[in-house]
Amino acid sequence: MVMLRVLVLFHLSWYLGETQASDPSKPTGELPPLGTDSLSFPWSRLRLPGYIVPLHYHLLLHPNLTSLSFTGSVHIQVHVQNDTNWVVLHSKGLRISTATILDQNATHLSDRALPVLYNSAHEQAAIFSPRVLNKGEKYFLHIKFGAELADGFYGFYRSSYKTSTGESRTLASTHFEPTSARMAFPCFDEPSFKANYSITIRRSQQHIALSNMPIEKTVELGQGLLEDHFAVSVRMSTYLVAFVICDFKSVSGTTSSGVKVSVYAAPEKWQQTHHALEVAVKMLDFYEKYFNINYPLPKQDLIVIPDFQSGAMENWGLTTYRETSLLYDSLTSSASDKLWVTMVIGHELAHQWFGNLVTMEWWNDIWLNEGFARYMEYISVEATYPDLKVEDYLLDTCFAAVGRDSLNSSRPISSPAESPTQIKEMFDTVSYDKGACILHMLRHFLTDEVFQSGIVRYLRKYSYSNARNQDLWDSLANTCSEEDFTSGKHCYSTNQAAKNAYLFAGEHLDLTSMMNTWTLQKGVPLVTVTRQGSHILLRQERFLRTTHPSDPLWPTLQQGYLWHIPLTFKTDNSDTVHRHLMTTHTDQLYVGAEVHWVKVNVDMAGYYLVHYEGSGWEDMTRLLRENHTALSHSDRTHLIHNAFQLVTAGRVSLDKAFDLIGYLRMERHTVPLLQGLGYLEAFYRMLEKRDFPDVTHNLKTYVLRYFRKVIDQQTWSDQGSVSERRLRSELLSLACHLDDPSCLEQARGSFKDWLHSNGTLSLPTDVVETVYSVGAQDDHGWSALLQAYTVSHSETHKSKILSALASSKDKGKLHRLLELGLKGELIRSQDLSTLILMVARNPHGHHMAWNYVKNNWNTLVHKFQLGSFCIRNIIVGTTGQFSSKEELIEVQSFFESIKEQVSQLRATQVALDNVQKNVLWFQRNLGTLKKWLVNQMR
């Protein structure tokens, strides 16, 4: 084919240029570059100009794992859409040695190296051509560069691991999302600039190189060097490019459609890769059927990176993972660990379609990637591993979204983001969890079949391209004949509307108007339900936990908010789920005079809270007490969640919420039981950090007394279903934290046996963290655990040990842990943010953790980058249980002192809102809690 011959010719000419001493058609390097004195940087915006479009990158990289540096060259074919003398692209931290531009005939436009100007604030480089680049023409931009392998978690960075003999080994890996490809090679580092990539990597014989595509050939260069040439990639965004140079080993399998799947890990952890391989093969098979689109690459590699800030990354054909997100060791990994690994793989492989095949046009719509991938975790795991009961966790995802969205510091799902810091902050609860929950709501609203066919249409139409919010709604609202659908056409006509499966109340749905209310405005709606004879009256408003309707600010904070809410409800009259689209602030529905109770938002399929005015909450409390199984476990969980959220907002009294969960002694399902218990634990953990010893003691006594039976039913084993194991793990952890004598006795006995075995005894994985936490409370136990942490080869096991070490009541030991974390040797830097939060959770360490963050703020920002998940977690996590006015003032004061640095961060306002929420909770509820507990103690 002509196209293939052209690509091959340019491929060869590039390598001739690299290896030959001179070429008369290009600069020899003897003439100095053109001067830059009279030139100024030609571009002032953060976003690149759109008139130079990359088509194909030929990228050569030579990393040196001894000097921890790399050199490279990139040959970019570009299409010019406006006459210009300038090429502006991204470059960060790279030393560009030469830049030249060639025309379509491979003739250089200048006999000298071209001037390169930099705008470091915008991470951009501009290359000046003395000859005009003409509109409609193609050119070839050739750049040589070098840099150090980054010390951190972004760009082309170094990582290391230790063998069992203590030998340290180095590898180099990439993490480019969202804006760090520019740290590895000069490029047009924006998601809409999709291009093909031909990647070549030079390496030593003892290493292997991996990239997005398979290796086509390997060339021996002499002196122990090999050069791997990878196949040309499909069109993709820069942030999905990946390469790893390491000495890992792999295990491989093949999908039913012939895709080779390989899982890579350090040689001594190879045996922990088998579960991941099984999951990846199953997931790819599932997604190919669900999306009705074949996985477009010949292989899919999954690789563990020892130093990795996030959980995983979806690079096309080469997904990268933190060890705890990919490796599963049956001796040290719990049921929850297995579920986590399975869900993370499901997430990253969903991205191969949502995100990679179809990419958001700009980062303001990152939820199109992350919300879909988060939701597909649940769909894929439920289909492939039904025994893991993943659906039990979807409510938690939506509850987390509500927690963020009910603060005024929340943001719309689709939000402006321009700078790298703002873009990093888009990877948050709103994009992931709220995105997943509104998709769940939409799927239930449209029906499974319509939802699935709509997203298949979306993926087909925008394959290898970019999309926006509107494109998704158009695809879901589209109606095609089977002939149009299979031929790849996309159709819509109003006369076909009657065929739509999502006809609602006899009217054709304006899906865009509906979904814009969920993606273009922030917040979560509260629907207040009032019974009036045979009808229920409905009223919607924005739900806020920090502002009460009596507050003067209330009208301003409510102004302009209106959602199109797909309401569902059921009654005691039948099992029918009734549906209604609420598009106005108030509404009413007929339910019948004979109905005793109405439950709105069935199974919490909708992303909204419900408040039952009048006798509504009493009706629900009576129902749960008399016949709780009349409602599904999801409905019972939803009631508990909504009641306690309304307590925080000052809309329901605390004793009324306690009455609601009074039935929990009869509850046999894990999810509602843990939901109710979780609120009691949250109250206790806040109280133990304040000086209220009587209330704290009474709450502890009440929890242990009330849940005595279910605590005593737990075995210290790994037996039972996933749900039973989850309950055991969380319940025994809480019981020991509350100093339950029987729990402490059992844990101490198990820890003593572990000590006598010199750490070789394998404790049940579901309770090992609880056993270690009890054992860590004396000097000998703490030291033994620190030694076990040092020698363990399971990161999952180490995370449990670290949690136990951070539970110590000895402030000196907590301080030592934080110092070890900052040093980054024994405790890796990737685990520092988690460690800080562990110490902050400890009542003996929560102020220490906050002071540590203040004293080491600049160091932490340097390690993790402003706007990163780690920095946001540290900011929100260390302040999350502050609940006094004095603590609020202190947090405000520190944020004020770093105002210039964090001016782009939403996380600081989220943290302040959280503390304000806690202060209000104590003001509103402490007195009620005291009285209620005294009554329970009688």
Side-chain angles (χ1 to χ4, degrees), residues 72-208:
S73 63
V74 65
H75 193 75
I76 312 172
Q77 183 185 30
V78 298
H79 181 239
V80 175
Q81 298 180 348
N82 278 344
D83 289 353
T84 182
N85 288 91
W86 290 94
V87 177
V88 181
L89 73 172
H90 287 110
S91 176
K92 181 182 178 184
L94 300 173
R95 297 181 296 271
I96 294 178
S97 54
T98 60
T100 53
I101 299 177
L102 296 77
D103 63 19
Q104 291 188 88
N105 300 315
T107 303
H108 284 258
L109 302 192
S110 172
D111 57 358
R112 302 187 186 191
L114 301 178
V116 182
L117 276 62
Y118 299 93
N119 182 342
S120 56
H122 290 181
E123 302 175 355
Q124 293 171 356
I127 299 165
F128 176 75
S129 169
R131 280 172 50 188
V132 172
L133 308 180
N134 295 316
K135 177 181 177 180
E137 297 294 322
K138 292 184 176 69
Y139 295 89
F140 299 90
L141 178 64
H142 188 69
I143 306 171
K144 292 184 180 180
F145 57 91
E148 308 305 311
L149 288 169
D151 179 18
F153 305 97
Y154 290 99
F156 193 17
Y157 70 95
R158 61 184 185 264
S159 179
S160 65
Y161 72 95
K162 285 190 175 178
T163 66
S164 56
T165 60
E167 179 191 354
S168 182
R169 294 187 180 176
T170 303
L171 60 144
S173 180
T174 57
H175 186 102
F176 292 161
E177 190 178 36
T179 60
S180 294
R182 63 194 69 174
M183 295 174 67
F185 59 100
C187 57
F188 298 82
D189 199 10
E190 295 178 4
S192 62
F193 287 123
K194 290 195 170 188
N196 300 98
Y197 292 82
S198 297
I199 293 175
T200 302
I201 294 177
R202 291 176 180 169
R203 59 174 174 88
S204 63
Q205 291 177 335
Q206 66 263 36
H207 292 110
I208 61 169

Side-chain angles (χ1 to χ4, degrees), residues 251-255 259-263 277 280-281 284 300-302:
V251 56
S252 297
T254 307
T255 69
V259 177
K260 183 181 179 182
V261 180
S262 303
V263 183
L277 178 64
V281 170
L284 281 178
Q300 172 65 55
D301 296 334
L302 302 84

Side-chain angles (χ1 to χ4, degrees), residues 551-688:
D551 193 303
L553 283 174
W554 181 260
T556 304
L557 293 172
Q558 293 292 331
Q559 192 170 356
Y561 284 90
L562 176 69
W563 286 265
H564 292 189
I565 305 172
L567 282 172
T568 55
F569 68 93
K570 65 184 296 186
T571 71
D572 59 316
N573 224 14
S574 75
D575 292 330
T576 303
V577 175
H578 303 275
R579 302 174 185 277
H580 173 72
L581 185 63
M582 184 180 183
T583 59
T584 53
H585 284 103
T586 59
D587 211 337
Q588 67 173 328
L589 297 173
Y590 177 81
V591 294
E594 70 285 359
V595 164
H596 293 96
W597 55 262
V598 180
K599 167 65 176 67
V600 178
N601 199 357
V602 178
D603 290 335
M604 201 185 165
Y607 183 70
Y608 58 96
L609 292 94
V610 182
H611 176 34
Y612 299 92
E613 273 193 340
S615 64
W617 282 111
E618 286 81 0
D619 294 342
M620 289 299 162
T621 299
R622 189 181 311 110
L623 173 62
L624 291 177
R625 190 168 60 243
E626 295 174 359
N627 183 22
H628 68 278
T629 56
L631 297 176
S632 68
H633 77 268
S634 294
D635 272 335
R636 303 195 296 271
T637 308
H638 178 235
L639 283 173
I640 294 168
H641 170 267
N642 282 200
F644 280 100
Q645 292 301 307
L646 289 162
V647 167
T648 303
R651 308 290 287 271
V652 169
S653 65
L654 182 61
D655 51 357
K656 192 176 284 189
F658 279 147
D659 289 344
L660 184 80
I661 63 170
Y663 88 98
L664 282 177
R665 273 195 179 124
M666 300 177 285
E667 182 60 75
R668 294 294 173 264
H669 199 285
T670 298
V671 176
L673 185 58
L674 287 178
Q675 187 67 28
L677 198 58
Y679 282 110
L680 295 172
E681 179 179 3
F683 299 156
Y684 181 82
R685 287 192 177 275
M686 273 208 299
L687 283 164
E688 70 178 348

